[in-house]
Amino acid sequence: MTEKAGDVVQVNLRIPKGLHRKLGAEARRNGRSLNAEMVHRLQSPDQPTTRLEGIATSAATQAVELTLQRLGIKPKAEP
């Protein structure tokens, strides 16, 4: 999606060098500039949400398992 110059805001962002290299490699692989790659990832509805949901689900599962363990309750085996 092409934006008009007045619709774009410049942001100065500090990220770890490793992440910068990874994003740069992905950008080249996808035929995009680093900036375009970052914008694409931020605008992709499934990218960050899916990861965050996975992290939240994992954390919740670990919390439940720890609570059950502390209460001396064995979790049911998965089928």
Side-chain angles (χ1 to χ4, degrees):
M1 165 156 85
T2 305
E3 309 240 353
K4 294 180 183 177
D7 294 338
V8 177
V9 176
Q10 185 173 357
V11 177
N12 188 8
L13 177 67
R14 292 186 181 127
I15 59 175
K17 286 181 182 181
L19 178 57
H20 183 264
R21 283 191 294 271
K22 181 179 176 183
L23 286 169
E26 288 293 318
R28 285 187 295 281
R29 192 170 307 135
N30 294 323
R32 292 191 270 260
S33 67
L34 179 60
N35 184 76
E37 182 69 24
M38 293 171 77
V39 170
H40 173 76
R41 288 173 177 239
L42 289 169
Q43 289 179 336
S44 294
D46 61 324
Q47 288 277 5
T49 304
T50 301
R51 279 191 225 124
L52 290 176
E53 286 175 352
I55 292 168
T57 300
S58 177
T61 300
Q62 289 177 4
V64 168
E65 289 173 352
L66 181 60
T67 301
L68 291 174
Q69 183 182 20
R70 287 181 177 168
L71 294 172
I73 300 171
K74 292 186 180 181
K76 294 181 182 178
E78 294 185 29

